[in-house]
Amino acid sequence: MSGGGQHGLFSGFPKKRGNDVSDIVDNKNRAVFFDNIQFIYELILGILELESFGVEIIPCKDYRSFEILNHSDTEAIARRSGYFKVIDGIKTDYSAIIKYNRTRSFNQYLTHWFYPYKGKFHPQMIRAVINIIGLNEGETLLDPFVGSGTSAVEAFLQGIDFVGVDVSPLCVLLSKVKVNSYKHIGKIKELKKAVQYEEIDYKAIEDKDVSSFFEIADMIAKSDSARRRKNYKNAFLSNIEKMFLSIKDLYEVVDKFIKKVPSSKIEMGDSRELNIPDSSIDGIITSPPYSIALNYVLNDKHALEAMGVDISSAFNDFIGLRGRGEEKFKMYNEDMYKCYKEMWRVLKNGGYCVVILGNVVFEGKEVPTVNIATEQCENIGFKLIDSIDKIIFGLYNVMQREYILVFQKGG
Ligand SMILES: C[S@@+](CC[C@H](N)C(=O)[O-])C[C@H]1O[C@@H](n2cnc3c(N)ncnc32)[C@H](O)[C@@H]1O
């Protein structure tokens, strides 16, 4: 057989390839993936991210980087990118931002680690999706199921105004603390020791923004002692210390990387009926409640009860928890249809709505939540632009895969 892969099954790699890694020492004209990138969906989002910046690329031989063929403003791209550590020889802002991390987990940098909330977004993915849907400073992102506030922090870090809604008072408090506490760092520093030495009760602090910081430290400690059997008092004291270091980090990041501090409006509400004007939102990124996959009320029962929530009535307000058996899915679908209609109403014409959602496994059968959501959205008038399949780990018994569904209104 002759060389060059002309015969047999293997017909050769694409002819057009970028340079070998060793050919370029300074990474000029290259976009280099972060070392943590390992999934197909990340490769796709990385490519889409570069394309959304108008960059033409070809893969390099290491398959972890691309040669940039046609772009001039690579400095601006290096400020925004989420999946690349170097763009055209310039270290990205994100490669510096993620180093402000007080935990051992790659994606728990800055304030992301506050509270062990189950079912969080991967922050790096949200940064990239914000870029892919083309949101810029001065524009507004909505997350109608804000949860632990991942999208709130990521919009903030890119200087994008944010509107977040959640039915859970814990989620609203947590998301606000993640983006706002750094503004009150002086007062928090002043009162920190007094709270730790029990000279004052944080609940008596009048400034709500300051007392909320300590309340979240309290909630994390409650969760640590309920779920991990940690000593409550020790956990509370060390949470305050570690949270303080994280808001100090955010303070520094704002100073170094954020030109104009954006607004973050996070409120309690029911996303079946949003208190937001028509056509006022530039983009939506959200992950709706996963039907029966996660019970958000029971997961955070200790914290919600401490906040005075009546657990039995909360079941009626949280989507996916109403009803039993088959009826539960019917109610979930009805509720979500209302939510998608609201998302359509508040989004500007031409705006993108990204829904991250999985099919749930119930009594051994897969429920086609993703198809139902797609049909509902198309019925309302959304156009499905892309559907990116994303395998998830850790929820095997209830959900194996989720999809990043990209819809557009008009356009
Ligand atoms: C999948 S979680 C969102 C997680 C979020 N993406 C994050 O990174 O933390 C779904 C959220 O929907 C909220 N939710 C449930 N029913 C709701 C409703 N009727 N209105 C608004 N939020 C609701 C839950 O409290 C939960 O926080």
Side-chain angles (χ1 to χ4, degrees), residues 117-122 126 143-151 165-169 171 174-175 178 268-274 285-290 294 296-297 300 316-321 335-336 339 356:
Y117 189 79
K118 283 194 187 156
K120 285 180 188 178
F121 277 145
H122 200 294
I126 300 308
D143 186 345
F145 303 106
V146 73
S148 65
T150 317
S151 49
V165 177
D166 205 288
V167 75
S168 156
C171 292
L174 178 58
S175 305
K178 282 184 177 182
M268 249 183 93
D270 186 337
S271 290
R272 288 168 290 192
E273 215 173 314
L274 290 169
I285 303 175
T286 198
S287 66
Y290 288 149
L294 287 176
Y296 300 97
V297 174
D300 300 312
N316 284 323
D317 304 328
F318 281 67
I319 293 171
L321 302 184
D335 285 342
M336 282 312 303
C339 294
I356 297 154

Side-chain angles (χ1 to χ4, degrees), residues 55-308:
V55 184
E56 254 181 59
I57 47 166
I58 47 169
C60 291
K61 286 178 189 160
D62 63 352
Y63 281 106
R64 293 203 63 84
S65 57
F66 297 96
E67 191 172 329
I68 297 173
L69 299 179
N70 78 328
H71 211 281
S72 52
D73 199 4
T74 43
E75 227 171 86
I77 302 169
R79 277 204 301 273
R80 299 281 309 260
S81 172
Y83 277 127
F84 297 92
K85 58 179 178 185
V86 175
I87 301 271
D88 194 17
I90 309 161
K91 274 197 177 164
T92 56
D93 278 9
Y94 197 59
S95 68
I97 288 173
I98 57 168
K99 293 210 176 94
Y100 291 87
N101 191 338
R102 301 284 167 177
T103 77
R104 269 181 258 147
S105 166
F106 177 89
N107 54 36
Q108 297 294 294
Y109 51 88
L110 291 169
T111 55
H112 277 303
W113 70 270
F114 292 5
Y115 196 83
Y117 189 79
K118 283 194 187 156
K120 285 180 188 178
F121 277 145
H122 200 294
Q124 186 176 29
M125 176 180 90
I126 300 308
R127 185 171 176 101
V129 173
I130 287 175
N131 291 328
I132 292 167
I133 65 172
L135 287 184
N136 287 308
E137 282 170 6
E139 293 184 317
T140 305
L141 173 71
L142 164 72
D143 186 345
F145 303 106
V146 73
S148 65
T150 317
S151 49
V153 175
E154 287 308 313
F156 178 84
L157 292 173
Q158 301 231 53
I160 288 159
D161 294 330
F162 182 79
V163 177
V165 177
D166 205 288
V167 75
S168 156
L170 171 68
C171 292
V172 172
L173 182 80
L174 178 58
S175 305
K176 280 185 171 170
V177 165
K178 282 184 177 182
V179 289
N180 286 333
S181 288
Y182 85 94
K183 293 178 190 155
H184 309 276
I185 191 160
K187 195 92 188 144
I188 291 170
K189 187 175 179 192
E190 197 184 305
L191 293 172
K192 174 164 86 72
K193 287 278 171 274
V195 173
Q196 286 172 316
Y197 293 135
E198 291 179 18
E199 288 159 15
I200 54 167
D201 179 353
Y202 77 79
K203 292 184 188 114
I205 300 172
E206 267 179 33
D207 186 338
K208 187 82 182 94
D209 291 315
V210 177
S211 67
S212 297
F213 173 87
F214 295 107
E215 193 173 356
I216 287 300
D218 182 11
M219 295 303 158
I220 305 173
K222 285 198 166 75
S223 167
D224 285 346
S225 74
R227 289 185 194 154
R228 297 184 201 155
R229 307 229 166 129
K230 279 197 189 170
N231 175 287
Y232 166 80
K233 184 85 187 294
N234 292 344
F236 181 52
L237 297 183
S238 69
N239 289 337
I240 292 178
E241 226 37 75
K242 198 164 134 192
M243 282 176 68
F244 181 73
L245 292 175
S246 298
I247 61 166
K248 223 169 120 207
D249 287 345
L250 185 54
Y251 194 90
E252 211 176 302
V253 164
V254 170
D255 192 44
K256 280 194 182 152
F257 298 102
I258 301 177
K259 272 196 285 172
K260 185 174 173 280
V261 173
S263 73
S264 307
K265 198 168 159 238
I266 301 158
E267 280 173 4
M268 249 183 93
D270 186 337
S271 290
R272 288 168 290 192
E273 215 173 314
L274 290 169
N275 186 18
I276 298 173
D278 294 359
S279 307
S280 59
I281 296 292
D282 297 285
I284 299 175
I285 303 175
T286 198
S287 66
Y290 288 149
S291 185
I292 55 144
L294 287 176
N295 188 322
Y296 300 97
V297 174
L298 292 185
N299 275 347
D300 300 312
K301 187 166 173 269
H302 45 274
L304 291 168
E305 274 175 344
M307 294 181 82

